[in-house]
Amino acid sequence: MEGEINQAAVSVKLDIDRWSAENYVLLPAVAYNGNKFEWRRLRYSPKLYEVQDIGPDRPTIVSDILRLDHADGFSRIQDRSGAFATPALAFQSGETNRGLILLTNYGNSLGDYGLSVQESRSREKATLAITSPVVREQYLYMNCDSRVPSWDKGKDFKAGDTVSIRFRVYGFSAPTIETLYDRFMVVRKEMSEAPAGGRNTLSYSWCQQLQEEKFNEQNFVEEHGYYAVGMRENFLQDWQIGWTGGMISTYPLLFMGSEQTVKNVLHNFDWLFPAGISPSGLFWDSGEKGTIWLGGDIRKPHTGNWHLIRKSGDGVYYIIKQFMLMEKMGIPVKKQWKEGTRKVCDTLVKIWDKNHQFGQFIDALNGEIVVGGSASGGIIPAALVLAAEYFQQEDYLRVARESGEYYYQTFTKQGMTTGGPGDALQNPDSESSYALVESYMLLHEATRASEWLAYASQAAKQFASWVVTDNYPFPENSLFGEAGIKSKGAVYANTQNKHGAPAICTASGIALLRLYRSTGDLSYLELLYDIAHNMPQYLPCPENPIGETNKAWVCERVNMTDWEGLDRIGEIVGLSTWAETGLMLTTVELPGVYIQPDRGMVTAFDNMEAEVVESNNKVCKVRIKNPTSLPAKVKVLVEYEQDLKLPLGENRLFDCPEVELKPQQSRIFSYKMK
């Protein structure tokens, strides 16, 4: 061989001859059903404003994201492999009842791969391709803009140069979208090079100590008595119910808090009720300076009365968890707190009975749906299940069941959930995806009906498509590269805001533990492990420095792609975000170590090492080691087969025994077989 070729790339292409525009196309964390939605070109943070787009019965509308054309125009998606939670191109054909997954890894010595799907003009053929190095031929995606001129460059190849592209192709029977996700759940990690275990940095107990100190010193507003969301000096709007942490953060703080922290939490309840209830009967969406209640997005004046419905759902869900915990702790639950929460629940019932949906945005003054559709309220069935139990109100459970069925038929069964966050129109997202796992599991535990367990299993498999399966090779000189951050277990946000996150927004993932207990399927436990075990590495402190990031400030971003610019991969913005709340929830709602003696099984969600050293018909012995440089207190949950027949229950871990371990200390614990 001789000669050379400049600025070139090589591709592996898979041509599909029997194609249809109706095929369901999955690109994990990049596109769901090919993102074939109505779209609008709006700057961040996008909000609908045209008259024809406003109303309860409009179609799903997304921002200017990568997408296949839903009409008859040019139809192609090209992106770099780091933009994918799992680097894969997949589809399901309703015409042939077949599915295909083209699976690869994050790249080779030339960097990221390019991954693409292109449909022919006739939509009768399509091509799936893996390209090295990544070359997006015309455009690339940056926030809310899919038409940024590409800066990708090929490689100058000389005679004798080689390029290696690793991939696997899976073809299988797939009569439904659900069967595509069934197979995806099985193979999603088969190209992963990450070790089975996670990175050990900080124990959960150490994280709790740092976070409690930070929230009391920096977030608590003494003048008014509430925990601000984020840093007040950076934002005038320092309160949002639900979503980014309002009345969610108070739950783990109550759970783990000192006497002073508990007092602060109770002050937060006094501050919220009744002033935090809007004229619609839902919570006020947002607020600032302790006395000003707002709706909508302060960057978009026309949304002044808008309320993101998931915020009231989150609020009810976590407030009732706190009511239950307060009673367990012997703390009186005030009448005005209960009455305010019941008012929100009654309003949710009223909205459902009138519209048979919860919509996405509600008018805070009159309770009418402003922007409809979406799975934004995916957590509401779970909230109403808890409300039905706590208030002994059967009507709440009725609406939980009816709305849960609606969400399954309209979203989960169709292979996409949309509209969870308030800053991404109705883009597919991980937040609503996980919220439905939580709702379906609580409906299953409340009713014991098998269909809810099947729904939860499907929702969890779809949620898994948002969770990073491998350790992305961050640039060595980037902040994350220097800090040794491992990306496996990060949770991609949505198809607009193209970053992973250190946690689920905003939840612990406990529904995945509930799902494992009910099914025995280890894939759900492994999924939860990947998220929960790697989360502490994102908490900066002297013992775990991340550049010059402020102590205990956790940024929401795990940047594996160039949606903010090529130089932002592996970098973060120095912000205090909801990810701190996600970390706190994880450390209080999940056991540090989970043991099932009669299965000879142990999982360390905490940054501990745990293994079964002996298991027979009489005893199961488990070694737990603290590999960190700091002392740890580890909550241990031990369950036998007979325990799995009972619901996990709220606040179960409050009574879990703790194991104290010095740095590098190991201890062996014995559990008799039952």
Side-chain angles (χ1 to χ4, degrees):
M1 296 178 63
E2 61 182 35
E4 61 184 37
I5 182 171
N6 296 326
Q7 290 301 297
V10 297
S11 296
V12 172
K13 291 188 175 181
L14 188 61
D15 292 326
I16 313 296
D17 289 333
R18 193 174 173 184
W19 187 260
S20 167
E22 301 305 313
N23 286 355
Y24 176 90
V25 178
L26 167 66
L27 282 61
V30 174
Y32 294 79
N33 197 28
N35 291 343
K36 291 186 175 183
F37 308 106
E38 293 284 339
W39 62 280
R40 302 291 180 265
R41 191 174 177 86
L42 301 168
R43 291 184 178 182
Y44 183 86
S45 161
K47 298 292 184 297
L48 298 174
Y49 65 91
E50 297 288 353
V51 173
Q52 63 267 27
D53 293 341
I54 303 297
D57 299 314
R58 301 297 187 265
T60 298
I61 300 175
V62 301
S63 52
D64 184 13
I65 57 174
L66 296 175
R67 59 196 176 273
L68 297 177
D69 192 84
H70 70 279
D72 56 1
F74 179 74
S75 186
R76 180 174 69 182
I77 293 176
Q78 289 184 323
D79 211 348
R80 58 189 300 141
S81 51
F84 291 68
T86 300
L89 307 169
F91 72 89
Q92 181 269 339
S93 169
E95 180 181 332
T96 65
N97 289 334
R98 299 287 295 174
L100 184 141
I101 299 173
L102 175 58
L103 185 68
T104 185
N105 54 10
Y106 279 122
N108 55 22
S109 60
L110 302 182
D112 279 23
Y113 292 141
L115 300 180
S116 67
V117 177
Q118 182 169 336
E119 297 180 309
S120 67
R121 288 278 184 178
S122 67
R123 303 296 190 263
E124 294 175 351
K125 296 182 180 182
T127 299
L128 314 183
I130 307 171
T131 302
S132 178
V134 53
V135 177
R136 290 159 289 186
E137 296 167 25
Q138 290 179 289
Y139 305 110
L140 50 80
Y141 175 76
M142 294 186 72
N143 197 9
C144 297
D145 189 351
S146 69
R147 291 295 183 268
V148 177
S150 176
W151 50 57
D152 293 339
K153 295 181 179 180
K155 176 178 169 56
D156 296 336
F157 288 101
K158 297 180 176 61
D161 286 349
T162 61
V163 178
S164 176
I165 298 176
R166 297 176 59 237
F167 64 93
R168 293 183 183 180
V169 180
Y170 306 85
F172 47 93
S173 173
T176 63
I177 293 169
E178 289 99 322
T179 52
L180 172 64
Y181 279 100
D182 289 343
R183 190 60 182 273
F184 173 77
M185 191 68 172
V186 173
V187 307
R188 59 188 282 270
K189 298 177 78 171
E190 288 192 356
M191 293 288 289
S192 173
E193 299 175 351
R199 182 181 179 220
N200 294 313
T201 50
L202 302 170
S203 69
Y204 281 3
S205 58
W206 193 258
C207 292
Q208 290 174 5
Q209 180 179 325
L210 288 177
Q211 297 268 259
E212 184 179 357
E213 290 174 355
K214 184 263 181 185
F215 267 75
N216 284 336
E217 293 173 3
Q218 300 181 39
N219 291 68
F220 191 69
V221 184
E222 190 75 38
E223 178 185 2
H224 301 291
Y226 69 101
Y227 284 101
V229 177
M231 296 293 96
R232 303 186 83 208
E233 62 268 24
N234 294 335
F235 302 99
L236 288 175
Q237 184 183 25
D238 65 357
W239 172 260
Q240 294 186 60
I241 191 78
W243 189 26
T244 58
M247 299 312 293
I248 305 178
S249 302
T250 49
Y251 175 48
L253 289 168
L254 176 69
F255 196 112
M256 67 191 181
S258 64
E259 182 178 350
Q260 184 58 51
T261 302
V262 172
K263 287 182 180 179
N264 290 347
V265 170
L266 299 183
H267 285 318
N268 205 141
F269 274 80
D270 284 334
W271 170 79
L272 182 68
F273 292 104
I277 307 295
S278 72
S280 70
L282 300 173
F283 290 110
W284 278 111
D285 191 271
S286 311
E288 65 181 49
K289 302 177 182 178
T291 59
I292 302 172
W293 299 97
L294 305 167
D297 188 329
I298 58 175
R299 295 161 291 199
K300 309 290 182 179
H302 74 284
T303 68
N305 294 329
W306 291 18
H307 173 70
L308 183 66
I309 192 63
R310 73 81 64 89
K311 291 185 179 182
S312 276
D314 284 340
V316 170
Y317 187 51
Y318 284 99
I319 284 170
I320 293 180
K321 280 176 175 276
Q322 288 168 87
F323 287 169
M324 293 175 171
L325 182 56
M326 288 176 191
E327 292 180 356
K328 194 176 185 71
M329 297 169 70
I331 298 172
V333 179
K334 292 184 179 180
K335 181 180 179 181
Q336 67 181 18
W337 305 347
K338 292 182 181 181
E339 289 178 345
T341 305
R342 287 198 68 151
K343 184 174 184 179
V344 177
C345 293
D346 291 342
T347 302
L348 291 171
V349 169
K350 181 180 178 181
I351 292 171
W352 173 261
D353 285 342
K354 180 178 179 180
N355 301 280
H356 298 290
Q357 63 159 302
F358 291 115
Q360 184 184 24
F361 287 99
I362 308 294
D363 191 308
L365 301 183
N366 60 29
E368 296 296 322
I369 293 177
V370 181
V371 178
S374 96
S376 180
I379 197 63
I380 294 175
L384 291 177
V385 168
L386 288 190
E389 176 186 350
Y390 187 77
F391 294 117
Q392 291 296 293
Q393 175 55 265
E394 180 64 27
D395 212 32
Y396 295 161
L397 186 58
R398 171 186 65 83
V399 174
R401 290 195 303 264
E402 291 176 4
S403 58
E405 185 67 30
Y406 160 80
Y407 282 125
Y408 175 74
Q409 297 295 337
T410 309
F411 295 99
T412 306
K413 190 175 181 180
Q414 308 307 319
M416 69 194 84
T417 59
T418 65
D423 64 341
L425 289 190
Q426 294 181 332
N427 282 279
D429 73 285
S430 63
E431 300 171 29
S432 58
S433 181
Y434 174 77
L436 287 174
V437 185
E438 198 101 16
S439 283
Y440 298 149
M441 277 311 301
L442 261 70
L443 279 162
H444 171 65
E445 291 193 354
T447 66
R448 309 313 294 177
S450 60
E451 63 265 25
W452 297 116
L453 188 59
Y455 293 178
S457 296
Q458 282 302 317
K461 291 168 184 174
Q462 292 180 29
F463 169 69
S465 71
W466 295 95
V467 180
V468 176
T469 51
D470 206 351
N471 290 328
Y472 180 80
F474 293 111
E476 291 183 1
N477 62 349
S478 69
L479 192 63
F480 276 13
E482 293 176 348
I485 296 293
K486 306 301 181 185
S487 63
K488 185 179 73 169
V491 183
Y492 258 94
N494 54 72
T495 57
Q496 172 189 287
N497 301 339
K498 287 300 300 169
H499 61 79
I504 304 168
C505 184
T506 307
S508 68
I510 193 172
L512 297 171
L513 179 58
R514 286 186 157 110
L515 184 55
Y516 164 72
R517 293 175 75 255
S518 295
T519 64
D521 188 334
L522 281 169
S523 65
Y524 304 126
L525 200 66
E526 292 168 359
L527 177 63
L528 179 57
Y529 172 88
D530 286 349
I531 301 168
H533 189 94
N534 286 329
M535 208 179 297
Q537 69 178 325
Y538 299 100
L539 181 66
C541 62
E543 297 79 13
N544 182 49
I546 304 177
E548 300 298 320
T549 309
N550 288 0
K551 179 181 177 181
W553 284 28
V554 184
C555 180
E556 67 180 357
R557 295 177 187 172
V558 181
N559 278 328
M560 297 164 52
T561 189
D562 53 2
W563 75 294
E564 290 186 309
L566 191 60
D567 61 344
R568 299 303 299 168
I569 296 177
E571 303 292 339
I572 58 175
V573 180
L575 296 176
S576 170
T577 71
W578 62 264
E580 296 158 17
T581 302
L583 174 57
M584 287 197 298
L585 286 169
T586 299
T587 64
V588 303
E589 284 206 307
L590 299 184
V593 175
Y594 180 55
I595 302 171
Q596 290 182 301
D598 40 14
R599 292 184 178 178
M601 194 280 294
V602 60
T603 297
F605 296 113
D606 200 345
N607 279 199
M608 300 292 113
E609 296 174 358
E611 61 177 339
V612 175
V613 294
E614 181 181 346
S615 182
N616 53 49
N617 59 2
K618 293 183 179 180
V619 69
C620 178
K621 293 184 179 180
V622 176
R623 177 188 289 117
I624 303 176
K625 179 183 178 180
N626 175 11
T628 75
S629 61
L630 299 162
K633 295 180 180 179
V634 185
K635 283 189 176 291
V636 179
L637 177 60
V638 180
E639 291 194 310
Y640 294 84
E641 290 286 346
Q642 63 198 45
D643 301 317
L644 303 180
K645 298 176 183 178
L646 302 172
L648 185 60
E650 302 308 309
N651 309 313
R652 172 117 172 240
L653 292 182
F654 189 75
D655 295 323
C656 272
E658 283 186 339
V659 172
E660 295 192 21
L661 294 169
K662 298 176 182 177
Q664 303 300 316
Q665 181 184 8
S666 293
R667 293 176 63 184
I668 294 178
F669 301 89
S670 296
Y671 302 96
K672 292 181 179 180
M673 294 297 184
K674 291 185 179 180

